[in-house]
Structures are given as C-alpha cells and as structure tokens.
Amino acid sequence: MSIDDVLRYLGADPAALAPAPSRWAGREASARLAPPPPPCAGCGRPARATTAADLPGYGLRWLDRCRDCFLATVGMTSARVPATVDQVLADVRAAASEAGVSPVILVRAEGARRG
C-alpha cells in the first residue's frame, strides 16, 4: 500500500500536515514528539510516532500518529530502510558528505583474531 492509502485510512489532509526538512534523523523526530507532542493526523490524540512522507504536490510532510493509528497503518507502507548494502552505503556516504566528514569502512576478515 502507499502513503496515499495511509492518508485515506486516517482521513488526513496532506495540506494540513506540517512541512518536514529535506534531511532528517531520529533526533529531529524525537524533538518533534517532545512535550507537548503534535496531534495525531488521524484522530487528534497526542502523537507517539512520526515520519517524514514525500507527498506529491506537497513535498515532505510530517506524518504524526498516535499509538493506535500508527499500529493500524504501519504495515501499509514500505520501510525507509534501504534494501541492499549498496543502498545503505550510499546513504552513509551522503550523510557523511553533508556532515563534512569522510567515512571509512572497516571490514574484519573471517577468522581474524581479535587482539
């Protein structure tokens, strides 16, 4: 299912959702849910989960959900987590570049002894 399915299920208007930053991490989401938390996009109760959703015509918007609305809709969208190691590494490289650091990937060979 798509984000449109989630919004339809919740009865949420995409235009009413708050704009989200183009790059965000757990700390921005945690800060967003700090007291007082925003209202759930579905029922209006205090939100306990949030994510940034890319909504056609609206851009990135925060999708805030209470526990019950989150559990009712969590299986409707695919995870943000990249599916392959190459995709994970591309995300790490992009984040490192944005932070102005150079990532180093260390690989321990099988059977190598810890010293």
Side-chain angles (χ1 to χ4, degrees), residues 38-68:
C40 172
C43 68
R45 291 184 301 205
R48 298 291 177 245
T50 191
T51 191
D54 191 6
L55 306 176
Y58 299 95
L60 280 174
R61 299 290 178 135
W62 287 114
L63 178 57
D64 305 313
R65 291 172 281 182
C66 69
R67 177 191 167 275
D68 291 344

Side-chain angles (χ1 to χ4, degrees), residues 68-84:
D68 291 344
C69 289
F70 173 77
L71 290 175
T73 59
V74 71
M76 292 182 164
T77 59
S78 59
R80 280 189 74 241
V81 178
T84 68

Side-chain angles (χ1 to χ4, degrees), residues 18-44:
S22 60
R23 296 215 25 107
W24 62 278
R27 65 182 166 272
E28 286 88 3
S30 293
R32 180 161 181 76
L33 295 174
C40 172
C43 68

Side-chain angles (χ1 to χ4, degrees), residues 3-16:
I3 191 67
D4 291 330
D5 295 323
V6 172
L7 296 175
R8 197 170 11 268
Y9 180 88
L10 294 174
D13 177 8

